[in-house]
Amino acid sequence: LHLTGVELKQRIMKTVKPWPALRNKISTGGIANAYFALTNTQAPPDPEDPANWESRELSFSTEHPYKAKDLKEFEVSLPEAKQISLYFQKYDTESGYDTISFYDRAGSKLAEISGYSTEVFTQVFSTNYIKVVFKSDDSVQKYGFDITKAAYR
């Protein structure tokens, strides 16, 4: 293998193994993989990554900025799904105070997020129904959120 330093760097960057948590956080969206770099092959798509699943467009948003003491509920029902992950184009809430919670059909809380992130999928929920509940207090009002799709399988 006779590569210049620049060529080696380019090969390492183009043969990374995709890592969902790194998507839109670093330029490659993945981690270096010696095997893929040495063989100059692309990593196969990760079947566990919701970005590789079927998806349905959604349009759930808070007001921008959201109101004090706001309460919004949205429902996602995909009868054909066994697992769902929701895609946030952006969420920006007062961390720890204004929350986005996810519930199953029985009303059990599955997860809760708060703070800031862009272009990110939620964790994978093993259900075909999710209720999204947004609650804000009366101190700081930020952007809110935009959910633009549901990935499912």
Side-chain angles (χ1 to χ4, degrees):
L1 191 68
H2 299 289
L3 299 174
T4 67
V6 171
E7 291 170 331
L8 181 59
K9 177 183 174 186
Q10 289 172 339
R11 181 179 285 192
I12 290 170
M13 291 182 70
K14 78 174 188 172
T15 60
V16 297
K17 181 175 190 235
W19 201 264
L22 298 177
R23 185 182 16 253
N24 302 318
K25 305 259 188 297
I26 61 173
S27 63
T28 63
I31 58 174
N33 181 290
Y35 174 80
F36 295 139
L38 288 171
T39 59
N40 198 23
T41 57
Q42 294 284 321
D46 179 358
E48 299 304 313
D49 182 354
N52 298 320
W53 299 357
E54 289 188 62
S55 64
R56 181 160 304 151
E57 288 189 28
L58 299 175
S59 183
F60 297 146
S61 298
T62 60
E63 292 182 46
H64 309 308
Y66 53 84
K67 295 180 178 173
K69 295 188 177 182
D70 205 0
L71 175 64
K72 298 275 189 254
E73 296 184 1
F74 306 93
E75 294 182 359
V76 178
S77 181
L78 300 169
E80 67 276 25
K82 293 192 180 352
Q83 294 180 310
I84 299 175
S85 180
L86 302 178
Y87 183 79
F88 282 85
Q89 190 68 38
K90 175 179 180 177
Y91 68 85
D92 186 9
T93 66
E94 183 184 13
S95 188
Y97 296 95
D98 301 336
T99 59
I100 306 163
S101 301
F102 307 93
Y103 295 86
D104 65 14
R105 197 176 299 280
S108 299
K109 186 186 275 189
L110 303 171
E112 182 175 278
I113 58 175
S114 184
Y116 175 83
S117 195
T118 60
E119 300 179 14
V120 65
F121 280 99
T122 62
Q123 69 185 67
V124 174
F125 301 113
S126 294
T127 182
N128 63 7
Y129 170 90
I130 298 173
K131 182 193 279 187
V132 180
V133 179
F134 171 74
K135 286 184 187 178
S136 68
D137 66 7
D138 59 356
S139 60
V140 176
Q141 288 76 54
K142 292 193 168 195
Y143 178 85
F145 69 82
D146 298 305
I147 297 174
T148 58
K149 67 181 165 183
Y152 63 95
R153 62 179 179 177

